[in-house]
Amino acid sequence: MEQIATSAAMTAWSVSQKNEGLTIGFVPTMGFLHRGHASLMSLLRPRVDRLVVSIYVNPLQFAPNEDLDTYPRDIEGDLATCRAEGVDCVFMPPDLYPDGFSSSVSVHGLTDRLCGASRPEHFDGVTTVVSRLFGVTRCDLAVFGEKDYQQLAVIRRMTTDLALPVEIVPGALIRDDDGLALSSRNKYLSADDRARGLSLHRALFKMATAYDAGITDAEAILAAGREALTFDRLDYLELVDAVSLQPIERVERPARALVAAFFGSTRLIDNVHLGPPWT
Ligand code: AMP
């Protein structure tokens, strides 16, 4: 498995693979890898000739009061995970942006609501880093987890709008045995916060159950969720159209229930599909 630390070396590696006619799949991550990340690697592995994983904690997507400096790291563990998943190349740049870097990529509309309302600079940081990583890795396919459902929608919009030559592949949300959505940030949770954090999953499950029982009115479904939800501070609980992410009054098309809440000082997010399946 190759380990590459500079953008120039990464691009040179990718170009040499592509000159051989090989396809490149890409899994961008911030490291501290868990089974959720591994599932994205194994989803892409059979679809591409070469699989690249990046490990980069992107400063652009953290606000000054967020956890950039304390974001958990475990490089040895991450490399072991990548090896086990058959990754060909791990890109781990200490710095990703060139001297004088002065560009940014913004997706409007989709980024104003949900996580974007409380983290106003976050998605510009994500779209900017993903654009640069697409350029550096020259990937043909890239996978993004449904765990960060709004992020997936924003990246899809950006890729379509800018005609980027990358196929975006969605990866299912992977949960721990108790139902908590796997996240690198779960490490911050005390045992008590973690137990209370399970209410996110319970609330979403209640909403899905209400829909399955024949309720399509969004307010009634949201009420079922609110009843099961406990938190220290709620950011949002919403029921939205699965594509536009706009609130809906009735579930008639594919929809998504999304929640974000604080437990202690840790902010957790979770989401679930509701409504007819995607065609
Ligand atoms: P991160 O390292 O948190 O930036 O995440 C890197 C990628 O892994 C993103 O596409 C996430 O959506 C995805 N991911 C994180 N947690 C999970 C999970 N529990 N299930 C599926 N994908 C995940």
Side-chain angles (χ1 to χ4, degrees), residues 40 154 183 206 245:
L40 304 182
V154 168
S183 164
K206 282 270 156 63
L245 304 187

Side-chain angles (χ1 to χ4, degrees), residues 27-37 39-40 56 61 71 143-149 151 171-175 180-185:
V27 187
T29 82
M30 298 203 298
F32 207 69
L33 303 178
H34 49 65
R35 280 193 295 115
H37 297 110
S39 74
L40 304 182
Y56 179 65
Q61 69 193 68
Y71 197 83
V143 63
F144 292 85
E146 289 183 342
K147 159 76 177 14
D148 300 278
Y149 190 80
Q151 170 173 283
L173 193 163
I174 305 296
R175 301 178 177 284
L180 191 70
L182 286 174
S183 164
S184 307
R185 288 187 167 107

